Amino acid sequence: MISVEKALEILEANVPEPKRVEIRLEDALGMILFSDLVSPESAPRFTNSAMDGYAVRWSDCCGIASNGPKILQVHGESQAGVPFFGTVQPGEAIRISTGAMLPEGADSVVKVEDTEEAPSGVKILATPIHGQNVRVEGEEFKAGAFLFAKGTRVGPRELAMFAAVGVKTIPVYRSPRVSLLITGTELAEPDSELIKPYQIRDSNTIMLSSATNDSGAHLNKICHVEDDLAQTIQVMEELLTETDILLCSGGVSVGRHDHVKDAAEAVGFSELFWKIRQKPGKPLYVGRRQDTLLFGLPGNPVSAFMCFYHYVRPVLARLQGSSNEYRSMTARVGFQVKNHGNRTNFIRVKVAKEPNELACIKEIAQQGSHMLSSITTADGYIILEPGALLEPGELVEVALF
Ligand code: AMP
Ligand code: MG
């Protein structure tokens, strides 16, 4: 048996190189940039008006404060999407709307509120500042400007920027492709009506598939097998096409009907480790075949979940270019707890938080690895080494689900 730290270290050293993929914006939400990105275009792309009003030549209106309002002839209109292609001559103005292209000859925009309709044109009531209400081409940034650094997670704001400057596809870390192999002759479909007294409902399939989706990975295929070595080998081999990570559930302990490890080795995996000095989740097996990792998760649902959470999830995050693997918080222990055993304990806890107070954790009484309530009532877990004792009031780090 190896320690939790050693297991994480071995995994870290064996995470395959993340792959790059060019992806359309519609498919990129939540993905992480594989490289720095620069803008192919300037912003704004063309000089345009910041206001609804009149495009004018500043030299025509600069004396209004001393000489009084000035009447300009309105010679046409520049609308957003319908430019005015002529040139604004001295004594002329062009009606203009927000976002419309500034016509040749004009250098400033007088907003509607500073004008009055006049029979022969428009009366300009206030002297504009030169260049007023004009958004100049490239004033935000020029073509070739740096936009985002490698490692940026793509969210709605980044997507808007790409759309605005004409980036159509972006280089991101490819989502790891995960397949599931669920073992157990005793399993029945959760919605099955014909559940026999000796059967149990399969809760790991939906748990592991949703945990996979939740981690941003791509769920590829799911297969179920009975506890049969030949069948396990055959289905495992089939699942390995287009799979980066194979998650197996159950059949990885020392029972006579546990075949995952033998099947894995029969299809060419080499063991990275088997059995970790931890509770729950001791039987975890990890094998590697070239760039594919196989996790043999224990069948007990809590063990499977904790192993997924502590070992699989960080690997999926790394493959997607992310390094923030665990969310955690510091909290006060509200009870005395000792690890009397010789394995690292992942103790599931509930976090209570009063306003302006440090969060306090409560232990969950039933910690059995077959008891799903130990994770459904928990907000996270603390890690307690063999022999460690925590007294009420002590501070501890809680890994949050
Ligand atoms: P195993 O790791 O295959 O020895 O299974 C350990 C325990 O987990 C047994 O009680 C199994 O019945 C149970 N178990 C295995 N697979 C599942 C599953 N997919 N859903 C719920 N319980 C399971
Ligand atoms: Mg089993």
Side-chain angles (χ1 to χ4, degrees), residues 270-290:
S270 313
E271 176 182 319
L272 294 181
F273 57 80
W274 181 37
K275 294 183 183 164
I276 306 177
R277 210 176 303 115
Q278 66 181 13
K279 190 179 171 185
K282 177 175 104 177
L284 179 65
Y285 168 85
V286 178
R288 178 175 180 172
R289 186 177 91 165
Q290 284 133 21

Side-chain angles (χ1 to χ4, degrees), residues 183-187 227 249-253 257-259 299:
T183 75
T185 304
E186 75 279 33
L187 299 179
D227 295 309
S249 152
V252 78
S253 221
H257 305 286
D258 291 334
H259 301 301

Side-chain angles (χ1 to χ4, degrees), residues 181-245:
L181 177 58
I182 307 293
T183 75
T185 304
E186 75 279 33
L187 299 179
E189 300 255 352
D191 59 2
S192 151
E193 297 296 334
L194 297 170
I195 186 162
K196 309 263 186 343
Y198 46 84
Q199 287 185 304
I200 61 155
R201 291 192 187 85
D202 167 17
S203 53
N204 285 353
T205 297
I206 196 153
M207 177 175 73
L208 294 172
S209 56
S210 52
T212 296
N213 287 327
D214 218 20
S215 306
H218 170 73
L219 185 64
N220 201 16
K221 283 178 264 179
I222 305 176
C223 284
H224 296 82
V225 291
E226 297 192 348
D227 295 309
D228 174 272
L229 179 61
Q231 199 188 343
T232 308
I233 292 174
Q234 191 204 325
V235 174
M236 193 178 271
E237 189 62 68
E238 287 166 15
L239 280 177
L240 284 167
T241 51
E242 293 179 9
T243 288
D244 302 305
I245 304 283

Side-chain angles (χ1 to χ4, degrees), residues 133-154:
N133 298 327
V134 172
R135 304 160 169 172
V136 180
E137 178 198 341
E139 72 177 15
E140 187 182 357
F141 52 80
K142 298 269 189 273
F146 172 86
L147 282 185
F148 298 111
K150 169 185 173 143
T152 302
R153 191 179 287 278
V154 177

